């Protein structure tokens, strides 16, 4: 299995993306990767929100405003992409 997301203290959040297609701002090419974000005092919140989203039986789109409080997108706080290399 893969680790889907990690919270490192109050500010650093890392999330795995199977595909980077559709992220804004645009990622230069589409590939599976981890992306590190600098979310001021919201890392724990995004960790719990992602966990709830994963285990939910239905898409909690009506709760996005509450679960993911950064208006617009957290992608503007992207720090770096970490390429995921799969062992085959």
């Amino acid at each position: 299995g893969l680790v889907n997301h990690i919270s490192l203290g109050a500010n650093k959040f890392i999330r795995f993306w199977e595909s980077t297609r559709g992220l804004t701002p645009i990622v230069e090419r589409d590939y599976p990767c981890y992306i590190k974000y600098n979310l001021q005092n919201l890392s724990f919140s995004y960790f719990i929100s992602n966990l709830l989203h994963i285990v939910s039986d239905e898409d909690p789109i009506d709760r996005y405003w509450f679960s993911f409080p950064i208006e617009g997108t957290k992608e503007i706080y992207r720090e770096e992409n970490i390429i995921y290399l799969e062992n085959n």
Side-chain angles (χ1 to χ4, degrees):
L2 289 169
V3 173
N4 180 271
H5 57 283
I6 302 168
S7 175
L8 298 173
N11 303 326
K12 302 298 180 190
F13 179 73
I14 301 172
R15 186 184 187 295
F16 178 74
W17 293 95
E18 188 68 44
S19 170
T20 55
R21 190 176 318 122
L23 295 181
T24 306
I26 295 171
V27 176
E28 62 280 353
R29 63 184 189 98
D30 184 33
Y31 56 88
C33 69
Y34 287 92
I35 297 179
K36 183 172 77 170
Y37 302 91
N38 186 7
L39 307 178
Q40 293 300 310
N41 296 314
L42 289 174
S43 179
F44 300 135
S45 173
Y46 271 76
F47 178 84
I48 297 299
S49 296
N50 275 272
L51 183 61
L52 291 174
H53 183 78
I54 289 169
V55 300
S56 178
D57 289 338
E58 56 189 61
D59 189 3
I61 197 162
D62 59 331
R63 296 188 306 258
Y64 277 12
W65 68 271
F66 177 76
S67 298
F68 305 106
I70 294 176
E71 195 169 323
T73 177
K74 75 179 174 314
E75 297 305 317
I76 59 175
Y77 298 102
R78 202 185 295 158
E79 285 192 332
E80 69 178 294
N81 298 357
I82 305 161
I83 296 174
Y84 168 69
L85 300 173
E86 186 174 357
N87 291 335
N88 289 333

